[in-house]
Amino acid sequence: MSEMTTTRPELTQAALEAAPPGRLKDDPILITFGMLKTFGGIRAVDIDHLEIERGTITAIIGPNGAGKTTLFNLLTGFDRPDHGSWRLDGRRLGGLPPHRIARLGMVRTFQLTRSLSRLTVLENMAVAAQTQRGERLERALLRWLWQSEEERVMTRASELLDRFGIAHMADEQAGTLSGGQRKLLEMARALMTDPHMVMLDEPTAGVNPALTESLLEHIRNLNAQGVTIVFVEHNMDVVMDISDWVVVMAQGRILTEGRPEEVVANEEVIDAYLGRAHERGNDEGEPGEEESDA
Amino acid sequence: MEFDTIFGNAARAGLGPQAAIFALAAIGLNLHFGYAGLLNFGQVGFMMLGAYGTAIVVATWGGSLWLGIPFGLGLCVAFALALGIPTLRLRSDYFAITTIAAAEILRLLIRSSPATDVTGGPFGLQAIANSFYDLNFLPDGRFGWGTFTYSSNQLWVMLVAWILVVLCSALVLGLIRSPWGRVVRAIREDEDAVLSLGKNTVAYKLQALVIGGLIGGLAGVIDVLQQSGVGSENFEPQVTFFAWAALILGGLATTVGPVVGAMLFWFLREGVESFIRQLSEQGWLPNALADFLDGAEGAISIALMGVGLVGLMALRPQGIFGRRRNLHLGT
C-alpha cells in the first residue's frame, strides 16, 4: 500500500468544507482503509477511509446500531473485519490480536465497565503496567528480579489513583466501587499503559453530571499531555464541549465529519441522528432510518 | 459404640497418603479454577498420566523410576498443551467439556486391549516403586500407637507426599503473589479487560493449566509410589469430582483450603463409613436396614458427604477458609 507516500493537500478551511467524509488530516495517527464488517446481511461497518488527527479529541456519534462500537472492536482487534487495513503511526494493525494492538499504544475502554472485581483497585492499576519482568512465569518466583520494578509500578499506580480521586479506595476490592468510580478506575487503568491513543466507548454513560464534568476534565488533561483521544458519545453537550472533531456514523458508514459546530449544522446529521432520533424520544436499538448517500 | 475407633479410622484416613494425593490434585485445581478461572473437569487425566507415565517406563520398558517420574510429568505437560491450545481461545465452557471428555477417553484408551502390552490394560502394572522404597532412610519396624501404627514404608510415602503438598502449596502461593499471579487472577475476573491492557491471556491460561496439571501429575506419581502399582479403575471421573469437593469444602482461591479440604474430605468419608459399619455390627439398626447397608457403607458415606456439601453450600458457600465477601463480587 502506498497511501503513506502520497503527498497531502494543504488542510485549508476551504478544503475542509469541500471535502467528503474520510477527509485527509495533516498528521494522522490512525489511518483506516476499506474497513468492512458484516453480520449476516447487515453491513455493520463499511468505511472507505477514515483518518484520526494526532493529538486531537475526536468524537464518534451516531444513532444506536450505527456501528460505532463495532468500529472500536475492529480497530482494537477485538473483532476481525471481513476486509480492511488500518495503521497506527504507520504500523499495520490488521490481523494483530488485541493485546498486541494495546502494546502498540492504542488502548480502549468498554461501554460497560470491566473492573477486575476481586482484585484491589491498586492491583487493577498494576495489571495495566506494560512489560513487567515479574509477569514472566520464569521470573515470578525470583522476587529480587522484580521487587524494585514492582515498587515503581505501585508508586505510579498510586499517583494516578490520586489524580483520579479514588486513592482512598486503593486497597478495596474493585467490585465494591460505585459505577462512577469504576469509570474513573477504567480510565486511570488505561492511562497506566502509557498509551498514544485512547479509545473510550461511552465514557460518560450512566455517570452523574458532577462526575461527568470530572471525567471530561481528565480527558482534557490527558489530551494536553499529547494523547490522541477517540470517544463514542451520545450526549451532544459533551461532544460540543470537548471534541476538536466529530465523525458521524449511520448504518455502518461515515455520514460526515467535521468540526463540532459544522456537524451540528449539517442537515443530514440532523435527519439521521439529532433531529429524528431525539424527537422520537430515543428509540433505542434501532439503526438510523435515513439512507445516507455520502 | 466405639467412638475412638471411628475417630481413629477417620483421622488415619485424613492424614493418610490418599488425603495427600487429593490435596495435590486439589492444589492443582485451585490454581486452575480458584485463581485462573479455568473449569478443569479432567484433573484425573493429569493424575493418570503422571501415574501411568511413571509405571510404563519402569514396568513395561524396564527403565529407572527416576526416568519414569519425569516422563510421566512430561506427559502431563503435553496433555495440558493438547487440551489448552485448541480450546483456551474459545469460551470457557468448551474447555470444561473438553477436559472431562479427554480424561475419560484417556482412561478408556489405557485399559483397551490394544494397549495391554504397554499399559497392562485392565490388569494394570505392578512392582514399580522399589527404588523409591530403597531410599527410605527410616528404620525398619512399626511406629506409632493404636490405629496410628505405620510401617516404615508407609511412613516414608506419607512423609514424601505431605512434603510435596507443602512445597506445591508454597509454589502456588509464590506464583499467585507475583505480578504473574496478578495477571492470572485478573484473567479470572475479565479476560477481555486484561487483553485490552496488552496481556497475552491465552499464554497465561496455558501456563496456569500446565502448572496445575503438573501438580495433578505429582498426585498420580504419589499414587503409584504408594501402591507400587497402577490400575485404570483408580482414575474414574469421580476422582476429579472428589478433588473438586475437597477444594470447595476448604475454600477456593486460598492456600490452605485445598489441603485442609482434602484432609477433611477423607476424614469425613472414612468416619461416616466407619460409623455406619459400627451401627450394623452393634446391632443398633433394624435387621432389614442393616442388610440393606451391608457392603454399601462406602456408597452411603459418599451420599451423606453429598448431603453435607449441599448443607455447606447453604451455610458457608465460600468454603471453610474462603472469604464470603468475594462471592458477592463475582462477575
Side-chain angles (χ1 to χ4, degrees), chain A residues 99 102-103 114 117-118 123 126-127 129-130 132 134-135 140 150 173, chain B residues 178-180 182-183 185 189-190 192 195-199 204 325-326 329:
Chain A
H99 67 274
R103 282 181 204 169
R114 291 178 176 245
S117 300
R118 284 173 289 181
E123 283 176 321
V127 167
Q130 297 297 294
Q132 299 181 52
E135 286 185 349
E150 179 75 357
Q173 286 177 304
Chain B
S178 74
W180 180 86
R182 187 165 57 212
V183 177
R185 287 182 300 128
E189 299 300 314
D190 191 324
D192 276 350
L195 268 178
S196 79
L197 299 173
K199 315 292 173 189
Y204 282 98
R325 211 158 64 116
N326 282 356
L329 298 177

PDB file of all heavy atoms in Angstrom, chain A residues 99 102-103 114 117-118 123 126-127 129-130 132 134-135 140 150 173, chain B residues 178-180 182-183 185 189-190 192 195-199 204 325-326 329:
ATOM      1  N   HIS A  99      -4.168  -7.872  22.309  1.00  0.00           N
ATOM      2  CA  HIS A  99      -3.113  -7.486  23.259  1.00  0.00           C
ATOM      3  C   HIS A  99      -1.915  -6.872  22.550  1.00  0.00           C
ATOM      4  O   HIS A  99      -1.233  -6.010  23.088  1.00  0.00           O
ATOM      5  CB  HIS A  99      -2.700  -8.671  24.142  1.00  0.00           C
ATOM      6  CG  HIS A  99      -2.006  -9.778  23.414  1.00  0.00           C
ATOM      7  ND1 HIS A  99      -2.682 -10.798  22.789  1.00  0.00           N
ATOM      8  CD2 HIS A  99      -0.699 -10.013  23.198  1.00  0.00           C
ATOM      9  CE1 HIS A  99      -1.810 -11.625  22.236  1.00  0.00           C
ATOM     10  NE2 HIS A  99      -0.605 -11.164  22.455  1.00  0.00           N
ATOM     11  N   ALA A 102      -2.854  -3.276  21.818  1.00  0.00           N
ATOM     12  CA  ALA A 102      -2.747  -2.478  23.035  1.00  0.00           C
ATOM     13  C   ALA A 102      -1.293  -2.145  23.327  1.00  0.00           C
ATOM     14  O   ALA A 102      -0.954  -1.027  23.724  1.00  0.00           O
ATOM     15  CB  ALA A 102      -3.368  -3.236  24.215  1.00  0.00           C
ATOM     16  N   ARG A 103      -0.401  -3.117  23.098  1.00  0.00           N
ATOM     17  CA  ARG A 103       1.016  -2.868  23.379  1.00  0.00           C
ATOM     18  C   ARG A 103       1.600  -1.809  22.461  1.00  0.00           C
ATOM     19  O   ARG A 103       2.570  -1.151  22.804  1.00  0.00           O
ATOM     20  CB  ARG A 103       1.822  -4.152  23.206  1.00  0.00           C
ATOM     21  CG  ARG A 103       1.679  -5.084  24.373  1.00  0.00           C
ATOM     22  CD  ARG A 103       2.525  -6.307  24.145  1.00  0.00           C
ATOM     23  NE  ARG A 103       2.006  -7.422  24.922  1.00  0.00           N
ATOM     24  CZ  ARG A 103       2.409  -8.667  24.766  1.00  0.00           C
ATOM     25  NH1 ARG A 103       3.325  -8.961  23.878  1.00  0.00           N
ATOM     26  NH2 ARG A 103       1.904  -9.623  25.502  1.00  0.00           N
ATOM     27  N   ARG A 114     -15.400  -2.673  32.916  1.00  0.00           N
ATOM     28  CA  ARG A 114     -14.882  -4.005  33.204  1.00  0.00           C
ATOM     29  C   ARG A 114     -13.817  -3.885  34.277  1.00  0.00           C
ATOM     30  O   ARG A 114     -12.635  -3.973  34.006  1.00  0.00           O
ATOM     31  CB  ARG A 114     -14.305  -4.608  31.942  1.00  0.00           C
ATOM     32  CG  ARG A 114     -15.412  -4.917  30.962  1.00  0.00           C
ATOM     33  CD  ARG A 114     -14.855  -5.466  29.690  1.00  0.00           C
ATOM     34  NE  ARG A 114     -15.926  -5.839  28.792  1.00  0.00           N
ATOM     35  CZ  ARG A 114     -16.145  -7.096  28.420  1.00  0.00           C
ATOM     36  NH1 ARG A 114     -15.404  -8.068  28.852  1.00  0.00           N
ATOM     37  NH2 ARG A 114     -17.120  -7.359  27.590  1.00  0.00           N
ATOM     38  N   SER A 117     -13.139  -7.357  39.527  1.00  0.00           N
ATOM     39  CA  SER A 117     -13.849  -7.178  40.798  1.00  0.00           C
ATOM     40  C   SER A 117     -13.092  -7.643  42.035  1.00  0.00           C
ATOM     41  O   SER A 117     -13.071  -6.976  43.039  1.00  0.00           O
ATOM     42  CB  SER A 117     -15.173  -7.924  40.755  1.00  0.00           C
ATOM     43  OG  SER A 117     -15.947  -7.428  39.710  1.00  0.00           O
ATOM     44  N   ARG A 118     -12.513  -8.838  41.960  1.00  0.00           N
ATOM     45  CA  ARG A 118     -11.907  -9.386  43.173  1.00  0.00           C
ATOM     46  C   ARG A 118     -10.422  -9.077  43.274  1.00  0.00           C
ATOM     47  O   ARG A 118      -9.704  -9.697  44.039  1.00  0.00           O
ATOM     48  CB  ARG A 118     -12.173 -10.896  43.248  1.00  0.00           C
ATOM     49  CG  ARG A 118     -13.607 -11.187  43.674  1.00  0.00           C
ATOM     50  CD  ARG A 118     -13.915 -12.654  43.590  1.00  0.00           C
ATOM     51  NE  ARG A 118     -14.010 -13.084  42.205  1.00  0.00           N
ATOM     52  CZ  ARG A 118     -14.289 -14.333  41.840  1.00  0.00           C
ATOM     53  NH1 ARG A 118     -14.485 -15.252  42.726  1.00  0.00           N
ATOM     54  NH2 ARG A 118     -14.377 -14.640  40.554  1.00  0.00           N
ATOM     55  N   GLU A 123      -4.370  -3.134  42.539  1.00  0.00           N
ATOM     56  CA  GLU A 123      -3.969  -4.247  41.664  1.00  0.00           C
ATOM     57  C   GLU A 123      -4.521  -4.057  40.254  1.00  0.00           C
ATOM     58  O   GLU A 123      -3.855  -4.381  39.273  1.00  0.00           O
ATOM     59  CB  GLU A 123      -4.464  -5.581  42.232  1.00  0.00           C
ATOM     60  CG  GLU A 123      -3.654  -6.096  43.399  1.00  0.00           C
ATOM     61  CD  GLU A 123      -4.235  -7.378  43.991  1.00  0.00           C
ATOM     62  OE1 GLU A 123      -5.468  -7.497  44.076  1.00  0.00           O
ATOM     63  OE2 GLU A 123      -3.450  -8.239  44.372  1.00  0.00           O
ATOM     64  N   ALA A 126      -2.110  -1.916  38.675  1.00  0.00           N
ATOM     65  CA  ALA A 126      -0.793  -2.523  38.472  1.00  0.00           C
ATOM     66  C   ALA A 126      -0.807  -3.491  37.286  1.00  0.00           C
ATOM     67  O   ALA A 126       0.181  -3.597  36.561  1.00  0.00           O
ATOM     68  CB  ALA A 126      -0.350  -3.234  39.751  1.00  0.00           C
ATOM     69  N   VAL A 127      -1.938  -4.176  37.084  1.00  0.00           N
ATOM     70  CA  VAL A 127      -2.017  -5.121  35.961  1.00  0.00           C
ATOM     71  C   VAL A 127      -1.758  -4.397  34.643  1.00  0.00           C
ATOM     72  O   VAL A 127      -1.223  -4.974  33.699  1.00  0.00           O
ATOM     73  CB  VAL A 127      -3.403  -5.796  35.932  1.00  0.00           C
ATOM     74  CG1 VAL A 127      -3.629  -6.517  34.620  1.00  0.00           C
ATOM     75  CG2 VAL A 127      -3.532  -6.780  37.080  1.00  0.00           C
ATOM     76  N   ALA A 129       0.287  -1.943  33.923  1.00  0.00           N
ATOM     77  CA  ALA A 129       1.645  -1.509  33.596  1.00  0.00           C
ATOM     78  C   ALA A 129       2.254  -2.458  32.575  1.00  0.00           C
ATOM     79  O   ALA A 129       2.054  -3.667  32.651  1.00  0.00           O
ATOM     80  CB  ALA A 129       2.495  -1.464  34.857  1.00  0.00           C
ATOM     81  N   GLN A 130       2.973  -1.902  31.599  1.00  0.00           N
ATOM     82  CA  GLN A 130       3.468  -2.717  30.486  1.00  0.00           C
ATOM     83  C   GLN A 130       4.825  -3.330  30.779  1.00  0.00           C
ATOM     84  O   GLN A 130       5.583  -2.829  31.610  1.00  0.00           O
ATOM     85  CB  GLN A 130       3.553  -1.858  29.222  1.00  0.00           C
ATOM     86  CG  GLN A 130       2.209  -1.335  28.774  1.00  0.00           C
ATOM     87  CD  GLN A 130       1.255  -2.460  28.400  1.00  0.00           C
ATOM     88  OE1 GLN A 130       1.467  -3.184  27.444  1.00  0.00           O
ATOM     89  NE2 GLN A 130       0.190  -2.625  29.183  1.00  0.00           N
ATOM     90  N   GLN A 132       6.259  -5.846  32.405  1.00  0.00           N
ATOM     91  CA  GLN A 132       6.779  -6.056  33.755  1.00  0.00           C
ATOM     92  C   GLN A 132       7.565  -7.366  33.783  1.00  0.00           C
ATOM     93  O   GLN A 132       7.077  -8.386  33.307  1.00  0.00           O
ATOM     94  CB  GLN A 132       5.635  -6.132  34.766  1.00  0.00           C
ATOM     95  CG  GLN A 132       4.788  -4.880  34.837  1.00  0.00           C
ATOM     96  CD  GLN A 132       3.678  -5.022  35.872  1.00  0.00           C
ATOM     97  OE1 GLN A 132       3.919  -5.362  37.008  1.00  0.00           O
ATOM     98  NE2 GLN A 132       2.454  -4.767  35.448  1.00  0.00           N
ATOM     99  N   GLY A 134       8.251  -9.243  36.308  1.00  0.00           N
ATOM    100  CA  GLY A 134       7.637 -10.237  37.190  1.00  0.00           C
ATOM    101  C   GLY A 134       6.417 -10.898  36.599  1.00  0.00           C
ATOM    102  O   GLY A 134       5.858 -11.817  37.184  1.00  0.00           O
ATOM    103  N   GLU A 135       5.979 -10.417  35.436  1.00  0.00           N
ATOM    104  CA  GLU A 135       4.830 -11.058  34.803  1.00  0.00           C
ATOM    105  C   GLU A 135       5.246 -12.262  33.980  1.00  0.00           C
ATOM    106  O   GLU A 135       4.404 -12.969  33.445  1.00  0.00           O
ATOM    107  CB  GLU A 135       4.079 -10.050  33.920  1.00  0.00           C
ATOM    108  CG  GLU A 135       3.285  -9.068  34.748  1.00  0.00           C
ATOM    109  CD  GLU A 135       2.428  -8.142  33.908  1.00  0.00           C
ATOM    110  OE1 GLU A 135       2.599  -8.125  32.676  1.00  0.00           O
ATOM    111  OE2 GLU A 135       1.600  -7.434  34.506  1.00  0.00           O
ATOM    112  N   ALA A 140       8.664 -15.289  38.038  1.00  0.00           N
ATOM    113  CA  ALA A 140       7.646 -14.943  39.034  1.00  0.00           C
ATOM    114  C   ALA A 140       8.110 -15.231  40.456  1.00  0.00           C
ATOM    115  O   ALA A 140       7.796 -14.491  41.386  1.00  0.00           O
ATOM    116  CB  ALA A 140       6.352 -15.697  38.733  1.00  0.00           C
ATOM    117  N   GLU A 150       8.385  -3.482  40.785  1.00  0.00           N
ATOM    118  CA  GLU A 150       7.059  -3.553  41.388  1.00  0.00           C
ATOM    119  C   GLU A 150       6.795  -2.294  42.223  1.00  0.00           C
ATOM    120  O   GLU A 150       5.696  -1.740  42.196  1.00  0.00           O
ATOM    121  CB  GLU A 150       6.977  -4.813  42.258  1.00  0.00           C
ATOM    122  CG  GLU A 150       5.660  -5.019  42.964  1.00  0.00           C
ATOM    123  CD  GLU A 150       4.549  -5.507  42.041  1.00  0.00           C
ATOM    124  OE1 GLU A 150       4.788  -5.625  40.831  1.00  0.00           O
ATOM    125  OE2 GLU A 150       3.440  -5.726  42.557  1.00  0.00           O
ATOM    126  N   GLN A 173     -11.485  -3.923  47.243  1.00  0.00           N
ATOM    127  CA  GLN A 173     -11.686  -4.701  46.031  1.00  0.00           C
ATOM    128  C   GLN A 173     -12.496  -3.873  45.036  1.00  0.00           C
ATOM    129  O   GLN A 173     -13.436  -3.165  45.427  1.00  0.00           O
ATOM    130  CB  GLN A 173     -12.391  -6.002  46.372  1.00  0.00           C
ATOM    131  CG  GLN A 173     -11.415  -6.951  47.062  1.00  0.00           C
ATOM    132  CD  GLN A 173     -12.066  -8.227  47.484  1.00  0.00           C
ATOM    133  OE1 GLN A 173     -13.036  -8.212  48.202  1.00  0.00           O
ATOM    134  NE2 GLN A 173     -11.519  -9.336  47.034  1.00  0.00           N
TER     135      GLN A 173
ATOM    136  N   SER B 178       2.945 -13.027  42.850  1.00  0.00           N
ATOM    137  CA  SER B 178       3.847 -12.308  41.937  1.00  0.00           C
ATOM    138  C   SER B 178       3.001 -11.527  40.925  1.00  0.00           C
ATOM    139  O   SER B 178       1.792 -11.729  40.822  1.00  0.00           O
ATOM    140  CB  SER B 178       4.715 -13.323  41.194  1.00  0.00           C
ATOM    141  OG  SER B 178       3.930 -13.991  40.216  1.00  0.00           O
ATOM    142  N   PRO B 179       3.637 -10.652  40.177  1.00  0.00           N
ATOM    143  CA  PRO B 179       2.894  -9.989  39.095  1.00  0.00           C
ATOM    144  C   PRO B 179       2.292 -10.981  38.109  1.00  0.00           C
ATOM    145  O   PRO B 179       1.218 -10.733  37.557  1.00  0.00           O
ATOM    146  CB  PRO B 179       3.969  -9.118  38.434  1.00  0.00           C
ATOM    147  CG  PRO B 179       4.945  -8.839  39.523  1.00  0.00           C
ATOM    148  CD  PRO B 179       4.981 -10.089  40.354  1.00  0.00           C
ATOM    149  N   TRP B 180       2.959 -12.108  37.907  1.00  0.00           N
ATOM    150  CA  TRP B 180       2.376 -13.153  37.049  1.00  0.00           C
ATOM    151  C   TRP B 180       1.017 -13.583  37.598  1.00  0.00           C
ATOM    152  O   TRP B 180       0.032 -13.674  36.865  1.00  0.00           O
ATOM    153  CB  TRP B 180       3.326 -14.358  36.977  1.00  0.00           C
ATOM    154  CG  TRP B 180       2.836 -15.490  36.112  1.00  0.00           C
ATOM    155  CD1 TRP B 180       3.008 -15.618  34.773  1.00  0.00           C
ATOM    156  CD2 TRP B 180       2.077 -16.638  36.526  1.00  0.00           C
ATOM    157  NE1 TRP B 180       2.407 -16.783  34.328  1.00  0.00           N
ATOM    158  CE2 TRP B 180       1.836 -17.418  35.384  1.00  0.00           C
ATOM    159  CE3 TRP B 180       1.581 -17.088  37.760  1.00  0.00           C
ATOM    160  CZ2 TRP B 180       1.125 -18.628  35.426  1.00  0.00           C
ATOM    161  CZ3 TRP B 180       0.873 -18.284  37.801  1.00  0.00           C
ATOM    162  CH2 TRP B 180       0.654 -19.038  36.644  1.00  0.00           C
ATOM    163  N   ARG B 182      -0.895 -11.942  39.500  1.00  0.00           N
ATOM    164  CA  ARG B 182      -1.865 -10.849  39.400  1.00  0.00           C
ATOM    165  C   ARG B 182      -2.556 -10.876  38.033  1.00  0.00           C
ATOM    166  O   ARG B 182      -3.770 -10.699  37.937  1.00  0.00           O
ATOM    167  CB  ARG B 182      -1.126  -9.525  39.606  1.00  0.00           C
ATOM    168  CG  ARG B 182      -2.014  -8.316  39.691  1.00  0.00           C
ATOM    169  CD  ARG B 182      -1.249  -7.134  40.241  1.00  0.00           C
ATOM    170  NE  ARG B 182      -0.068  -6.822  39.438  1.00  0.00           N
ATOM    171  CZ  ARG B 182       1.057  -6.314  39.929  1.00  0.00           C
ATOM    172  NH1 ARG B 182       1.163  -6.028  41.202  1.00  0.00           N
ATOM    173  NH2 ARG B 182       2.085  -6.057  39.140  1.00  0.00           N
ATOM    174  N   VAL B 183      -1.778 -11.121  36.998  1.00  0.00           N
ATOM    175  CA  VAL B 183      -2.386 -11.199  35.657  1.00  0.00           C
ATOM    176  C   VAL B 183      -3.349 -12.387  35.595  1.00  0.00           C
ATOM    177  O   VAL B 183      -4.449 -12.284  35.063  1.00  0.00           O
ATOM    178  CB  VAL B 183      -1.302 -11.322  34.565  1.00  0.00           C
ATOM    179  CG1 VAL B 183      -1.947 -11.468  33.198  1.00  0.00           C
ATOM    180  CG2 VAL B 183      -0.377 -10.124  34.592  1.00  0.00           C
ATOM    181  N   ARG B 185      -5.021 -13.834  38.019  1.00  0.00           N
ATOM    182  CA  ARG B 185      -6.258 -13.549  38.755  1.00  0.00           C
ATOM    183  C   ARG B 185      -7.110 -12.535  37.989  1.00  0.00           C
ATOM    184  O   ARG B 185      -8.344 -12.595  38.017  1.00  0.00           O
ATOM    185  CB  ARG B 185      -5.946 -13.032  40.163  1.00  0.00           C
ATOM    186  CG  ARG B 185      -5.443 -14.149  41.088  1.00  0.00           C
ATOM    187  CD  ARG B 185      -5.187 -13.646  42.488  1.00  0.00           C
ATOM    188  NE  ARG B 185      -4.183 -12.601  42.491  1.00  0.00           N
ATOM    189  CZ  ARG B 185      -4.323 -11.414  43.055  1.00  0.00           C
ATOM    190  NH1 ARG B 185      -5.437 -11.115  43.685  1.00  0.00           N
ATOM    191  NH2 ARG B 185      -3.344 -10.539  43.001  1.00  0.00           N
ATOM    192  N   GLU B 189     -11.146 -12.650  36.403  1.00  0.00           N
ATOM    193  CA  GLU B 189     -12.201 -11.646  36.578  1.00  0.00           C
ATOM    194  C   GLU B 189     -12.803 -11.216  35.243  1.00  0.00           C
ATOM    195  O   GLU B 189     -14.009 -11.108  35.116  1.00  0.00           O
ATOM    196  CB  GLU B 189     -11.648 -10.423  37.312  1.00  0.00           C
ATOM    197  CG  GLU B 189     -11.114 -10.718  38.702  1.00  0.00           C
ATOM    198  CD  GLU B 189     -12.167 -11.292  39.620  1.00  0.00           C
ATOM    199  OE1 GLU B 189     -13.283 -10.757  39.647  1.00  0.00           O
ATOM    200  OE2 GLU B 189     -11.880 -12.288  40.305  1.00  0.00           O
ATOM    201  N   ASP B 190     -11.955 -10.902  34.281  1.00  0.00           N
ATOM    202  CA  ASP B 190     -12.477 -10.431  32.997  1.00  0.00           C
ATOM    203  C   ASP B 190     -11.379 -10.507  31.944  1.00  0.00           C
ATOM    204  O   ASP B 190     -10.484  -9.659  31.907  1.00  0.00           O
ATOM    205  CB  ASP B 190     -12.969  -8.988  33.122  1.00  0.00           C
ATOM    206  CG  ASP B 190     -13.752  -8.570  31.893  1.00  0.00           C
ATOM    207  OD1 ASP B 190     -13.392  -8.993  30.780  1.00  0.00           O
ATOM    208  OD2 ASP B 190     -14.721  -7.815  32.045  1.00  0.00           O
ATOM    209  N   ASP B 192     -11.376 -10.092  28.669  1.00  0.00           N
ATOM    210  CA  ASP B 192     -11.296  -9.024  27.670  1.00  0.00           C
ATOM    211  C   ASP B 192     -10.603  -7.788  28.227  1.00  0.00           C
ATOM    212  O   ASP B 192      -9.828  -7.123  27.532  1.00  0.00           O
ATOM    213  CB  ASP B 192     -12.696  -8.643  27.173  1.00  0.00           C
ATOM    214  CG  ASP B 192     -13.161  -9.574  26.062  1.00  0.00           C
ATOM    215  OD1 ASP B 192     -12.333 -10.354  25.575  1.00  0.00           O
ATOM    216  OD2 ASP B 192     -14.346  -9.507  25.703  1.00  0.00           O
ATOM    217  N   LEU B 195      -6.946  -8.436  28.135  1.00  0.00           N
ATOM    218  CA  LEU B 195      -6.484  -8.338  26.741  1.00  0.00           C
ATOM    219  C   LEU B 195      -6.304  -6.881  26.346  1.00  0.00           C
ATOM    220  O   LEU B 195      -5.320  -6.506  25.706  1.00  0.00           O
ATOM    221  CB  LEU B 195      -7.524  -8.951  25.798  1.00  0.00           C
ATOM    222  CG  LEU B 195      -7.417 -10.407  25.406  1.00  0.00           C
ATOM    223  CD1 LEU B 195      -8.591 -10.757  24.511  1.00  0.00           C
ATOM    224  CD2 LEU B 195      -6.107 -10.676  24.690  1.00  0.00           C
ATOM    225  N   SER B 196      -7.272  -6.053  26.747  1.00  0.00           N
ATOM    226  CA  SER B 196      -7.226  -4.649  26.340  1.00  0.00           C
ATOM    227  C   SER B 196      -6.062  -3.922  27.007  1.00  0.00           C
ATOM    228  O   SER B 196      -5.721  -2.815  26.618  1.00  0.00           O
ATOM    229  CB  SER B 196      -8.547  -3.945  26.673  1.00  0.00           C
ATOM    230  OG  SER B 196      -8.590  -3.605  28.047  1.00  0.00           O
ATOM    231  N   LEU B 197      -5.470  -4.543  28.036  1.00  0.00           N
ATOM    232  CA  LEU B 197      -4.322  -3.922  28.696  1.00  0.00           C
ATOM    233  C   LEU B 197      -3.003  -4.498  28.176  1.00  0.00           C
ATOM    234  O   LEU B 197      -1.947  -4.285  28.775  1.00  0.00           O
ATOM    235  CB  LEU B 197      -4.425  -4.115  30.212  1.00  0.00           C
ATOM    236  CG  LEU B 197      -5.681  -3.476  30.822  1.00  0.00           C
ATOM    237  CD1 LEU B 197      -5.818  -3.849  32.291  1.00  0.00           C
ATOM    238  CD2 LEU B 197      -5.647  -1.960  30.667  1.00  0.00           C
ATOM    239  N   GLY B 198      -3.077  -5.258  27.084  1.00  0.00           N
ATOM    240  CA  GLY B 198      -1.845  -5.685  26.425  1.00  0.00           C
ATOM    241  C   GLY B 198      -1.255  -6.988  26.940  1.00  0.00           C
ATOM    242  O   GLY B 198      -0.070  -7.230  26.752  1.00  0.00           O
ATOM    243  N   LYS B 199      -2.066  -7.820  27.606  1.00  0.00           N
ATOM    244  CA  LYS B 199      -1.525  -9.095  28.095  1.00  0.00           C
ATOM    245  C   LYS B 199      -2.009 -10.224  27.200  1.00  0.00           C
ATOM    246  O   LYS B 199      -3.195 -10.265  26.837  1.00  0.00           O
ATOM    247  CB  LYS B 199      -1.991  -9.385  29.528  1.00  0.00           C
ATOM    248  CG  LYS B 199      -1.900  -8.228  30.486  1.00  0.00           C
ATOM    249  CD  LYS B 199      -0.479  -7.835  30.796  1.00  0.00           C
ATOM    250  CE  LYS B 199      -0.476  -6.556  31.621  1.00  0.00           C
ATOM    251  NZ  LYS B 199       0.854  -5.987  31.785  1.00  0.00           N
ATOM    252  N   TYR B 204      -1.029 -16.959  29.348  1.00  0.00           N
ATOM    253  CA  TYR B 204      -1.112 -17.085  30.813  1.00  0.00           C
ATOM    254  C   TYR B 204      -1.999 -18.252  31.214  1.00  0.00           C
ATOM    255  O   TYR B 204      -1.689 -19.002  32.144  1.00  0.00           O
ATOM    256  CB  TYR B 204      -1.651 -15.793  31.436  1.00  0.00           C
ATOM    257  CG  TYR B 204      -0.607 -14.700  31.521  1.00  0.00           C
ATOM    258  CD1 TYR B 204      -0.547 -13.703  30.564  1.00  0.00           C
ATOM    259  CD2 TYR B 204       0.314 -14.674  32.557  1.00  0.00           C
ATOM    260  CE1 TYR B 204       0.407 -12.708  30.626  1.00  0.00           C
ATOM    261  CE2 TYR B 204       1.268 -13.689  32.635  1.00  0.00           C
ATOM    262  CZ  TYR B 204       1.315 -12.697  31.657  1.00  0.00           C
ATOM    263  OH  TYR B 204       2.270 -11.722  31.732  1.00  0.00           O
ATOM    264  N   ARG B 325     -17.092 -12.327  51.310  1.00  0.00           N
ATOM    265  CA  ARG B 325     -17.285 -11.099  50.545  1.00  0.00           C
ATOM    266  C   ARG B 325     -16.991 -11.317  49.060  1.00  0.00           C
ATOM    267  O   ARG B 325     -17.627 -10.732  48.196  1.00  0.00           O
ATOM    268  CB  ARG B 325     -16.364 -10.025  51.100  1.00  0.00           C
ATOM    269  CG  ARG B 325     -16.904  -8.624  50.986  1.00  0.00           C
ATOM    270  CD  ARG B 325     -16.229  -7.732  51.995  1.00  0.00           C
ATOM    271  NE  ARG B 325     -14.819  -7.646  51.676  1.00  0.00           N
ATOM    272  CZ  ARG B 325     -14.228  -6.527  51.318  1.00  0.00           C
ATOM    273  NH1 ARG B 325     -14.913  -5.424  51.231  1.00  0.00           N
ATOM    274  NH2 ARG B 325     -12.958  -6.505  51.052  1.00  0.00           N
ATOM    275  N   ASN B 326     -16.005 -12.189  48.816  1.00  0.00           N
ATOM    276  CA  ASN B 326     -15.612 -12.418  47.429  1.00  0.00           C
ATOM    277  C   ASN B 326     -16.753 -12.968  46.591  1.00  0.00           C
ATOM    278  O   ASN B 326     -16.822 -12.744  45.396  1.00  0.00           O
ATOM    279  CB  ASN B 326     -14.445 -13.390  47.380  1.00  0.00           C
ATOM    280  CG  ASN B 326     -13.151 -12.708  47.739  1.00  0.00           C
ATOM    281  OD1 ASN B 326     -13.142 -11.502  47.937  1.00  0.00           O
ATOM    282  ND2 ASN B 326     -12.087 -13.457  47.840  1.00  0.00           N
ATOM    283  N   LEU B 329     -18.833 -10.419  44.965  1.00  0.00           N
ATOM    284  CA  LEU B 329     -18.172  -9.593  43.958  1.00  0.00           C
ATOM    285  C   LEU B 329     -17.991 -10.351  42.658  1.00  0.00           C
ATOM    286  O   LEU B 329     -17.436  -9.835  41.717  1.00  0.00           O
ATOM    287  CB  LEU B 329     -16.800  -9.145  44.470  1.00  0.00           C
ATOM    288  CG  LEU B 329     -16.853  -8.288  45.715  1.00  0.00           C
ATOM    289  CD1 LEU B 329     -15.440  -7.956  46.172  1.00  0.00           C
ATOM    290  CD2 LEU B 329     -17.618  -7.017  45.448  1.00  0.00           C
TER     291      LEU B 329
END
